[in-house]
Amino acid sequence: MNPEPIFNGLYVPLVTPFTDDLRLAPDALARLADETLSAGASGLVALGTTAETATLSAEERETVVRVCAAACRAHRAPLVVGVGTNDTAAAITSLRELAARGDVAAALVPAPPYIRPGEAGTLAHFTALSEHGGLPLIVYDIPYRTGQTLGADTIATLGRLPQVVGIKHATGAIDATTMALLGSPPPGFALLGGDDVVLSPLVAAGAHGGIVASAHVRTADFAEMIALWRRGSAAPARRLGAELARLSTALFAEPNPTVIKGVLHAQNRIPSPAVRMPLLAASAESVRRAVRYSEGAMATTTGPHR
């Protein structure tokens, strides 16, 4: 029997709150991080796609990591940090800097985007990161952003690298590759769902949890749904999973994280729904629809924003 992976349960890739004039709002980020962990998230992801990382300055990225690390220390929860680059040498430098901090549990790293080096090049990339980065790695398999697909054999080979501890599976489907990986995962290797709408059936099939942007709202319910499936309570897990899938569909009606930010602002949890270009703020109708599905969210979302 394979050992339980270190990374399991619910991880929330936090948005980066801005003010109306698009300045970073670190106090709002700190509250959001604390609320999310208090509501049952196993850990946080900083500087993911949901964080609009591409629009952040180096100083802002450092602030985001510092704020999220403080929240994770307070809750004794792991912090995962996104490292997205198609330059292997630059990725190694970023990993070493994160490892030197001492408060980052792992890095979430996509297959090299845009340049599409192929599966052999992707394997070489992660081998170099594993050997020289000094930090555990969660592979981010998201073909519609990277432009390339990873097969089951390649993922299994990646999973045997000494520093690769899991994968965020966001391929848009539960397919033969998914089932092959679930059927014979490398020892201690975490399969974490990354397509929010199909998280429930993926965990039902054996995934260890998820990295779920939708879980900014109804965090406790997402954590409970994962726990229900993992302890074999299929009927309530199925009902809750279907309900949360409707929420996820509403939250992703427009480009991520625009609707999520709109809902968080409507709940008085962040000071503004603002996003940085090239993203545009979500429409009022999309936000209203998502807010309706967000009813029943954790109690900490109901207090006034300070």
Side-chain angles (χ1 to χ4, degrees):
M1 183 180 224
N2 280 337
E4 182 73 4
I6 297 172
F7 296 94
N8 57 72
L10 176 68
Y11 288 76
V12 180
L14 289 184
V15 302
T16 303
F18 299 132
T19 60
D20 283 330
D21 59 357
L22 294 177
R23 289 179 293 111
L24 182 66
D27 290 346
L29 177 61
R31 286 192 298 272
L32 192 64
D34 179 70
E35 289 170 358
T36 302
L37 291 168
S38 296
S42 301
L44 301 177
V45 177
L47 302 183
T49 307
T50 307
E52 301 173 73
T53 302
T55 71
L56 301 179
S57 68
E59 181 180 2
E60 288 171 330
R61 291 194 295 271
E62 168 58 29
T63 298
V64 168
V65 173
R66 175 175 51 79
V67 169
C68 291
C72 285
R73 281 196 303 273
H75 287 268
R76 297 185 178 180
L79 174 64
V80 178
V81 177
V83 176
T85 175
N86 50 25
D87 178 346
T88 303
I92 290 171
T93 298
S94 296
L95 290 171
R96 287 176 173 172
E97 290 171 352
L98 289 173
R101 296 177 56 94
D103 53 11
V104 176
L108 178 65
V109 185
Y114 188 72
I115 57 173
R116 301 173 64 189
E119 291 189 275
T122 298
L123 182 56
H125 174 75
F126 278 102
T127 299
L129 302 190
S130 175
E131 291 176 349
H132 304 294
L135 198 65
L137 307 172
I138 299 173
V139 177
Y140 191 2
D141 185 15
I142 183 163
Y144 78 89
R145 290 193 187 275
T146 64
Q148 61 180 355
T149 300
L150 301 180
D153 290 344
T154 297
I155 295 171
T157 302
L158 288 170
R160 289 192 289 270
L161 294 174
Q163 287 281 64
V164 175
V165 295
I167 188 167
K168 179 181 178 181
H169 183 73
T171 64
I174 299 175
D175 56 15
T177 296
T178 313
M179 299 314 295
L181 184 58
L182 287 169
S184 185
F189 184 82
L191 193 148
L192 302 170
D195 291 312
D196 296 17
V197 173
V198 295
L199 177 66
S200 181
L202 188 65
V203 178
H208 301 95
I211 298 176
V212 187
S214 300
H216 280 84
V217 295
R218 299 188 63 172
T219 310
D221 285 342
F222 275 96
E224 176 65 6
M225 184 264 288
I226 292 171
L228 285 169
W229 277 122
R230 301 210 71 208
R231 64 175 179 255
S233 301
R238 189 177 296 110
R239 287 193 297 270
L240 184 55
E243 184 179 335
L244 294 177
R246 291 190 289 271
L247 169 63
S248 295
T249 299
L251 290 171
F252 279 81
E254 297 187 34
N256 184 42
T258 62
V259 181
I260 291 173
K261 278 192 158 184
V263 171
L264 292 175
H265 180 245
Q267 294 177 333
N268 295 316
R269 296 177 66 197
I270 60 175
S272 169
V275 291
R276 289 179 177 172
M277 289 184 70
L279 291 173
L280 300 175
S283 68
E285 178 54 33
S286 289
V287 174
R288 280 194 296 269
R289 185 181 306 113
V291 166
R292 288 198 295 271
Y293 286 115
S294 301
E295 293 178 1
M298 58 189 180
T300 54
T301 67
T302 59
H305 174 77
R306 298 184 298 276

